[in-house]
Amino acid sequence: MVALKEVMYLMFHPNQLRSIIQWKVWHEPVHTRDPSKEPKTLRSCFDLLNLTSRSFAAVIQELQPEMLVPIALFYLVLRALDTIEDDMTLSTATKEPMLREFSKYMKIDGWTFNGSGPDEKDRDVLVHFDDVIAELRKIDKKYYDVIEDITIKMGNGMADYALNAEFQEGVETVAQYEEYCHYVAGLVGEGLTRIFVQGNTANPALLDRMELTESMGQFLQKTNIIRDVHEDFEDKRRFWPKDVWSKYVDKWEDMFDPKYRTQAVYCSSELVLNALKHADECLFYMAGIKEQSVFNFVAIPQSMAIATLELVFQNPKIFYSHIKISKGDACHLMMQSTQNLRVVCDIFRTYARRIARKNDPRDPHYLEISVACGKIEQFIETLFPTQDVRKLKAVQEAQGQGQEAVQSDFWEALMLVAAVVFVLLVVSGLMLGLAWYMGARFDVLWDKEAAASLKSAAKATATSLTHEEL
């Protein structure tokens, strides 16, 4: 029935079908795993990986050989921890010491755990954890030390939260909310970054900017918590901080009451806003990845997260059903995310604009969300300035007009000088003509005899005038 429904959906959404076909047919992995060269225990580990997360497992198995096994084992160890923490059939008395001591179990040959609930989806990881232990012993010590250190930190953090959840009925403050996200996701990012740097696939400067690593984990985990609110409610778990939801409803159960649907959507908007603040640092982090398969590994989940955030934003369905991005959209995102940072930035810009378009002016966080989306675009613009054809054409036209103006100014100045010279010549000619008319002798300038005659006449005139006066 599900398959038939999916086929019908794809028939009416051909773009989705095209994306799926493109991913299946034309996607070429950077590296390909060869199971025929692997021991039985390692093949078992990859089988467990495929059981826990098909899409995530596919990306892991395309990693370069140096990173492949350490990251696969790291994921399985953390999945085992997460399974213990999420198992509602385990009491806190059983759960807490297991979480705190899990790093010690990793060193015990043949250790397994069969006590998880029968409906726990990832219980097989613990049932066959002896295969994981066998492979952990074979990896380079520098990678094992990172996995062990993160396991200790995460196990203690989860144990603390398990106690807190039992006695305080969930997350109370935003600070606790972000602390929980740190333990279950931020530490994962820290461990991965250290492994990447050890394997020379990431810029070592990332180790000095751990806030970027933290944002990677926080962004993913917060998006999942917003999306899974109804599923968590049915499992009697609450990860949305009381400091946030208590602004909109009196009781947590009211969030799922249709009477309070508008308030619930406004509450979800506040958490979406809280998640959006990490987006620019996620892009900054990805700029520090040096190897293509590792870039694909970190970029695909982040692209999925921004798309999921857009899906849940202003979407009341999260309070009565479990929603996720379609398979066609997921394949399209994976095709784009396996290219380069510029394309991933385009994905973030696209979904930030969609969030801005969905933003409701009646929402109390309307202005803040608009600003957050604008900041994402602004940051992307600093990385890859937009080459707007219309703007470039306008600049070129302005430059052309400037050159024309300079040429025009030159000819105008030349014409002005010519006019002044012409006027001077005309005035001079008129003055000379008038002087000649009045009797001026210009011939004395070049005729010496005329000049001498004129001089003699002048002396005679002067002499006769003198005698008459006497």
Side-chain angles (χ1 to χ4, degrees):
M1 186 66 182
V2 176
L4 179 60
K5 184 178 179 181
E6 188 173 339
V7 170
M8 293 294 294
Y9 174 81
L10 293 174
M11 285 177 62
F12 289 96
H13 297 82
N15 288 336
Q16 300 272 324
L17 180 60
R18 182 185 63 183
S19 297
I20 295 172
I21 294 173
Q22 284 177 334
W23 176 256
K24 297 289 186 183
V25 176
W26 291 314
H27 171 64
E28 295 183 5
V30 182
H31 302 280
T32 304
R33 170 181 159 244
D34 186 359
S36 65
K37 298 180 180 179
E38 298 170 351
K40 182 179 178 181
T41 50
L42 185 55
R43 289 199 301 272
S44 173
C45 289
F46 281 111
D47 289 340
L48 293 173
L49 195 63
N50 289 322
L51 286 174
T52 56
S53 174
R54 270 181 138 3
S55 58
F56 201 63
V59 181
I60 290 178
Q61 291 177 76
E62 293 181 7
L63 285 168
Q64 61 149 288
E66 176 75 11
M67 296 286 97
L68 175 61
V69 177
I71 290 178
L73 296 177
F74 184 42
Y75 180 84
L76 289 173
V77 169
L78 299 186
R79 176 57 65 186
L81 272 177
D82 192 54
T83 301
I84 295 170
E85 190 232 1
D86 286 345
D87 194 342
M88 304 306 291
T89 66
L90 296 177
S91 66
T92 303
T94 301
K95 189 181 293 188
E96 187 212 350
M98 284 190 69
L99 291 170
R100 296 195 191 278
E101 301 294 322
F102 200 81
S103 61
K104 296 179 180 178
Y105 302 149
M106 289 163 49
K107 299 178 181 179
I108 303 173
D109 287 335
W111 183 87
T112 59
F113 180 72
N114 299 311
S116 296
D119 296 328
E120 191 61 37
K121 61 180 182 178
D122 294 328
R123 71 186 307 274
D124 284 345
V125 176
L126 290 166
V127 172
H128 300 286
F129 201 75
D130 52 336
D131 292 333
V132 179
I133 294 172
E135 289 303 318
L136 280 170
R137 290 186 174 279
K138 301 176 185 178
I139 64 173
D140 195 311
K141 187 177 185 300
K142 64 184 180 183
Y143 299 132
Y144 183 90
D145 289 344
V146 173
I147 295 172
E148 182 182 32
D149 180 51
I150 298 301
T151 301
I152 293 170
K153 292 178 180 177
M154 185 177 290
N156 285 322
M158 286 180 169
D160 292 341
Y161 182 78
L163 293 173
N164 176 73
E166 177 135 331
F167 294 107
Q168 299 185 24
E169 298 182 349
V171 177
E172 293 292 316
T173 66
V174 174
Q176 289 179 349
Y177 171 63
E178 297 198 333
E179 182 183 38
Y180 173 76
C181 292
H182 166 72
Y183 281 122
V184 300
L187 286 174
V188 179
E190 178 188 334
L192 288 172
T193 301
R194 289 164 62 184
I195 291 174
F196 295 155
V197 172
Q198 291 279 7
N200 197 33
T201 58
N203 192 325
L206 289 177
L207 296 178
D208 298 325
R209 297 288 304 274
M210 293 310 291
E211 70 274 11
L212 302 180
T213 296
E214 183 69 21
S215 285
M216 292 283 284
Q218 292 271 340
F219 190 60
L220 294 178
Q221 189 63 27
K222 286 178 178 180
T223 300
N224 290 339
I225 287 174
I226 297 169
R227 181 197 62 193
D228 297 338
V229 61
H230 182 257
E231 185 178 346
D232 290 332
F233 175 69
E234 290 183 328
D235 291 337
K236 296 181 171 50
R237 296 180 296 186
R238 175 175 59 76
F239 297 106
W240 286 27
K242 187 176 181 180
D243 281 358
V244 175
W245 63 260
S246 60
K247 299 176 188 177
Y248 306 92
V249 293
D250 295 326
K251 298 183 297 182
W252 174 240
E253 292 75 14
D254 291 342
M255 292 285 291
F256 306 91
D257 188 333
K259 291 189 299 183
Y260 301 98
R261 193 69 80 214
T262 300
Q263 292 92 323
V265 169
Y266 291 164
C267 179
S268 69
S269 294
E270 184 169 345
L271 291 179
V272 168
L273 173 63
N274 180 275
L276 282 173
K277 69 182 183 181
H278 301 291
D280 57 344
E281 290 191 336
C282 292
L283 294 172
F284 201 176
Y285 177 93
M286 286 185 273
I289 302 300
K290 300 191 295 184
E291 202 273 334
Q292 184 64 48
S293 68
V294 173
F295 177 82
N296 298 349
F297 174 75
V298 299
I300 288 176
Q302 298 299 326
S303 297
M304 297 285 194
I306 190 69
T308 301
L309 210 57
E310 185 272 333
L311 176 67
V312 302
F313 180 61
Q314 294 288 332
N315 192 342
K317 289 182 180 180
I318 63 173
F319 298 104
Y320 58 84
S321 63
H322 182 65
I323 62 174
K324 59 181 180 179
I325 57 178
S326 67
K327 186 179 292 186
D329 286 337
C331 289
H332 180 66
L333 287 168
M334 288 191 290
M335 285 290 291
Q336 291 184 305
S337 302
T338 52
Q339 296 184 46
N340 53 56
L341 181 61
R342 189 184 193 108
V343 178
V344 174
C345 284
D346 288 340
I347 293 172
F348 271 67
R349 181 189 287 114
T350 297
Y351 283 99
R353 288 176 177 175
R354 290 185 185 180
I355 290 172
R357 284 197 296 269
K358 289 174 68 175
N359 202 9
D360 188 344
R362 295 168 296 181
D363 193 310
H365 308 288
Y366 171 78
L367 185 59
E368 294 170 287
I369 290 172
S370 298
V371 170
C373 292
K375 284 183 176 179
I376 294 173
E377 287 210 53
Q378 187 178 29
F379 178 77
I380 293 172
E381 194 68 20
T382 63
L383 293 178
F384 303 104
T386 304
Q387 298 294 326
D388 192 319
V389 176
R390 287 176 296 181
K391 289 182 179 179
L392 288 174
K393 187 176 180 180
V395 170
Q396 290 172 352
E397 288 177 353
Q399 290 175 345
Q401 290 173 358
Q403 292 175 354
E404 290 175 2
V406 170
Q407 292 176 352
S408 175
D409 290 344
F410 171 77
W411 286 109
E412 287 179 4
L414 188 62
M415 299 230 2
L416 181 61
V417 171
V420 170
V421 170
F422 176 74
V423 170
L424 288 173
L425 290 173
V426 170
V427 171
S428 299
L430 289 172
M431 292 177 67
L432 290 171
L434 183 61
W436 175 79
Y437 181 75
M438 297 296 293
R441 295 284 305 274
F442 296 110
D443 57 326
V444 300
L445 293 175
W446 57 83
D447 190 344
K448 292 181 179 180
E449 291 183 1
S453 175
L454 184 62
K455 189 181 292 185
S456 300
K459 286 181 180 182
T461 303
T463 302
S464 64
L465 286 174
T466 302
H467 287 298
E468 287 177 359
E469 291 173 354
L470 292 173

